Amino acid sequence: MTKLNQSYIGLRKDLLTFISGESNNVLDVGCAIGSNGKYLLENNFADNVYGIEFDKVMAQKASNCLTKVFVGDLNNQDFLKVILENNIKYDYIIFGDVLEHLINPKKVLNHLKNALKPNGKIIISLPNIAHVELFIQVFIKGTWPQNERGIFDKTHLRWFTKNDVFKLVTDTNLKIVEYKRKFRSRDAIGSKMSLFYKIIKFLRKDLVTFQHIIVCEHE
């Protein structure tokens, strides 16, 4: 049995908190095993949750609880076309730490926004490469780690600061309606915000911003 990366399959309540109302149509891009969709359906936030997943093992698990799962590579133009050819319009599209794994995230975002309803919203989460962890690893330890998760996930193809995230959204003719930072002192899960890091947070929030969360909509 394939061992699943626990960092990829968990429930993202930090993103789902931006979903309101009932009977929504939701697209979870990079749905993994369907944890987000299962929660939305069971708690009546959505009538239908569709997923997009590259990993066939996780997609199979997700298909047991989601309305439908599109299985394929978002770097493939033909696969992108297949998703839109279903003519489904969504109230919410979730990109939970997905875009940084793509060759051309702007192209994918620009393509899938066409499936968003006129008053729909896109929820994006991206890791922050401007975190103090970059300074520690590159300039103090002299290495670029190849980790299984986090800021230095070895499968990342693109890296984003806050300015880069905002540019990505505006370049795809979307409007940012909410921005939130997720703070963490170090890359390690469970790292504590000691006095030293609290001072850094006070002086420059970017250095302890672990993830950027952006909610956007059509201009």
Side-chain angles (χ1 to χ4, degrees), residues 13 24 26 32 39 44 64 67 71 93 106 111 149 160 169 171 188 201 211:
K13 283 192 175 181
N24 290 300
V26 179
Y39 175 88
N44 300 317
N64 293 325
T67 307
V71 186
I93 300 177
K106 183 170 76 172
H111 190 91
R149 49 147 301 279
F160 296 87
V169 172
D171 282 353
K201 179 182 176 184
Q211 287 166 308

Side-chain angles (χ1 to χ4, degrees), residues 102-121:
L102 303 178
I103 295 171
N104 192 334
K106 183 170 76 172
K107 178 181 177 182
V108 173
L109 182 59
N110 201 43
H111 190 91
L112 291 184
K113 75 173 187 183
N114 293 310
L116 189 68
K117 291 182 180 179
N119 296 320
K121 290 182 171 59

Side-chain angles (χ1 to χ4, degrees), residues 181-216:
R181 302 172 186 267
K182 283 191 70 176
F183 294 107
R184 189 184 292 179
S185 59
R186 295 290 304 275
D187 192 2
I189 296 172
S191 51
K192 304 297 183 182
M193 190 69 74
S194 66
L195 178 60
F196 173 72
Y197 288 104
K198 287 179 180 177
I199 293 171
I200 291 178
K201 179 182 176 184
F202 176 77
L203 295 174
R204 191 170 179 84
K205 290 184 175 65
D206 281 348
L207 292 177
V208 286
T209 296
F210 185 68
Q211 287 166 308
H212 305 287
I213 298 177
I214 310 94
V215 181
C216 47

Side-chain angles (χ1 to χ4, degrees), residues 126-130 159-171 176 179 181 204 206 212 214:
L126 285 164
N128 175 38
I129 196 60
W159 296 268
F160 296 87
T161 65
K162 179 186 176 183
N163 289 340
D164 296 327
V165 173
F166 276 53
K167 187 175 188 301
L168 172 67
V169 172
T170 55
D171 282 353
I176 297 171
Y179 169 72
R181 302 172 186 267
R204 191 170 179 84
D206 281 348
H212 305 287
I214 310 94

Side-chain angles (χ1 to χ4, degrees), residues 131-184:
H131 193 278
V132 68
E133 192 73 28
L134 175 74
F135 179 82
I136 293 170
Q137 296 296 334
V138 175
F139 295 101
I140 296 180
K141 295 186 177 180
T143 184
W144 186 283
Q146 298 288 309
N147 296 337
E148 297 297 321
R149 49 147 301 279
I151 295 171
F152 291 99
D153 187 316
K154 63 186 178 183
T155 63
H156 287 177
L157 300 179
R158 294 289 181 267
W159 296 268
F160 296 87
T161 65
K162 179 186 176 183
N163 289 340
D164 296 327
V165 173
F166 276 53
K167 187 175 188 301
L168 172 67
V169 172
T170 55
D171 282 353
T172 50
N173 297 313
L174 291 166
K175 177 177 65 176
I176 297 171
V177 294
E178 194 162 353
Y179 169 72
K180 182 179 179 180
R181 302 172 186 267
K182 283 191 70 176
F183 294 107
R184 189 184 292 179

Side-chain angles (χ1 to χ4, degrees), residues 9-13 16 19 24 26-51 62 64-69 94:
I9 65 176
L11 181 65
R12 293 295 304 271
K13 283 192 175 181
L16 303 187
I19 293 178
N24 290 300
V26 179
L27 176 63
D28 190 4
V29 185
C31 66
I33 62 173
S35 300
N36 292 330
K38 186 173 185 288
Y39 175 88
L40 292 172
L41 291 167
E42 289 179 348
N43 290 277
N44 300 317
F45 287 105
D47 281 347
N48 297 286
V49 178
Y50 298 80
N64 293 325
C65 54
L66 303 189
T67 307
K68 181 176 181 177
V69 179
I94 304 170

